[in-house]
Amino acid sequence: MSTAMNFSTKSFKPRPPDKGSFPLDHFGECKDFKEKFMRCLRQNNFDNTLCRLQSKEYLECRMDKQLMAKEPLDKLGFKDLMDQATEKTQEKP
C-alpha cells in the first residue's frame, strides 16, 4: 500500500498579501517613527486621533522603505493633514 507523491501536478501560485497586512520591519527601518507614534499614544491615553501626524509619518516611512504598498495619503484618511500642509506652504511669502 504505497502511494507515490507527485508534487508536479499542482503548481504554487503566489498571491499578494491581503489589504492591511504587510511585512514586519525586521531591520528597524521605521523604528524611530514607530516609537514616536507609540510615545504619542501613551501620552494621550491611546487616543489615536491625537496622534494622526505621527501615524502619517510612520506610514510614509513604511511606503518609502517598501514595507507596504504605496497608497495615496488621502485614501488612508489623511486628506485633512495634507490640505493643512498645502495651506501652510501657500501662506509663506
Side-chain angles (χ1 to χ4, degrees), residues 40-55:
C40 178
L41 286 175
R42 283 190 293 273
Q43 290 170 346
N44 291 292
N45 294 322
F46 295 92
D47 182 356
N48 64 340
T49 59
L50 300 174
C51 302
R52 292 185 65 240
L53 182 61
Q54 292 83 355
S55 175

Side-chain angles (χ1 to χ4, degrees), residues 26-67:
H26 292 290
F27 300 110
E29 297 175 272
C30 296
K31 183 179 179 181
D32 292 339
F33 293 100
K34 180 190 79 163
E35 291 300 321
K36 187 176 175 183
F37 175 62
M38 293 304 295
R39 188 171 32 254
C40 178
L41 286 175
R42 283 190 293 273
Q43 290 170 346
N44 291 292
N45 294 322
F46 295 92
D47 182 356
N48 64 340
T49 59
L50 300 174
C51 302
R52 292 185 65 240
L53 182 61
Q54 292 83 355
S55 175
K56 176 182 155 289
E57 291 172 350
Y58 176 60
L59 292 174
E60 285 176 322
C61 177
R62 290 193 62 91
M63 287 187 280
D64 292 343
K65 304 292 184 181
Q66 298 178 345
L67 293 169

Side-chain angles (χ1 to χ4, degrees), residues 15-23 63 68-72 75-77:
R15 64 180 184 89
D18 294 331
K19 184 114 174 132
S21 64
F22 40 80
M63 287 187 280
M68 66 181 281
K70 288 253 185 204
E71 293 276 346
K75 195 173 178 182
L76 294 174

